């Protein structure tokens, strides 16, 4: 499975942006996809995730109510709609995917995810 994230940019506080993640290869084995972000000298942080069936979503408290994760299986795409952006949202955003099923919910730990795309930089100025 290969993942490619895109859509990053330079924005101002309060702006909106949509990130996209294109999946290719054996996408049929995937259970869930997620967005993570990382700032320098910090660990990769879970942002949002969605099951491939679309019946489960999960959000970090810091983005709940502002970000929306969605997927389009017909196009093997995952999206992250980011509204009301804040300077603290500045980070490199990564998409990730996992093939294992987790009955307790979508995993939020980076090590659970086997497949990763390259990052896309989002910079929000105040």
């Amino acid at each position: 499975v290969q993942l490619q994230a895109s859509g990053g940019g330079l924005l101002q506080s309060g702006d909106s942006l949509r990130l996209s993640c294109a999946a290719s290869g054996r996408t049929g084995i995937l259970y869930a996809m997620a967005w993570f972000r990382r700032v320098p000298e910090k660990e990769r942080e879970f942002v949002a995730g969605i099951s491939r069936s679309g019946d489960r979503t999960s959000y970090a408290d810091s983005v709940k109510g502002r970000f929306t994760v969605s997927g389009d299986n017909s196009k093997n795409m995952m999206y992250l709609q980011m509204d009301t952006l804040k300077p603290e949202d500045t980070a490199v955003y990564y998409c990730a995917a996992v093939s294992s099923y987790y009955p307790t919910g979508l995993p939020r730990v980076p090590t659970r995810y086997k497949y990763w795309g390259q990052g896309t930089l989002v910079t929000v100025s105040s």
Side-chain angles (χ1 to χ4, degrees):
V1 175
Q2 295 79 43
L3 303 175
Q4 184 164 355
S6 62
L10 176 62
L11 302 104
Q12 293 188 326
S13 184
D15 284 350
S16 295
L17 184 70
R18 189 177 82 159
L19 303 182
S20 299
C21 177
S24 60
R26 297 181 61 201
T27 58
I29 67 171
L30 299 179
Y31 163 65
M33 299 179 70
W35 291 97
F36 288 79
R37 65 187 181 187
R38 182 162 63 185
V39 298
E41 302 182 350
K42 282 195 171 182
E43 296 292 325
R44 203 166 291 195
E45 173 191 28
F46 174 82
V47 176
I50 185 168
S51 60
R52 285 283 283 175
S53 64
D55 62 343
R56 288 183 169 183
T57 57
S58 181
Y59 295 93
D61 288 344
S62 59
V63 306
K64 199 172 293 183
R66 299 189 298 120
F67 290 11
T68 304
V69 62
S70 62
D72 185 342
N73 286 342
S74 67
K75 298 180 180 179
N76 288 320
M77 296 291 295
M78 176 180 63
Y79 305 101
L80 184 67
Q81 177 65 41
M82 305 187 293
D83 298 319
T84 319
L85 282 162
K86 304 176 181 180
E88 50 264 43
D89 295 318
T90 295
V92 177
Y93 284 73
Y94 300 87
C95 59
V98 60
S99 57
S100 300
Y101 170 68
Y102 291 89
T104 56
L106 299 176
R108 296 182 171 219
V109 178
T111 53
R112 299 287 192 184
Y113 289 81
K114 181 177 181 179
Y115 308 101
W116 289 86
Q118 89 295 352
T120 185
L121 177 62
V122 175
T123 304
V124 184
S125 62
S126 58

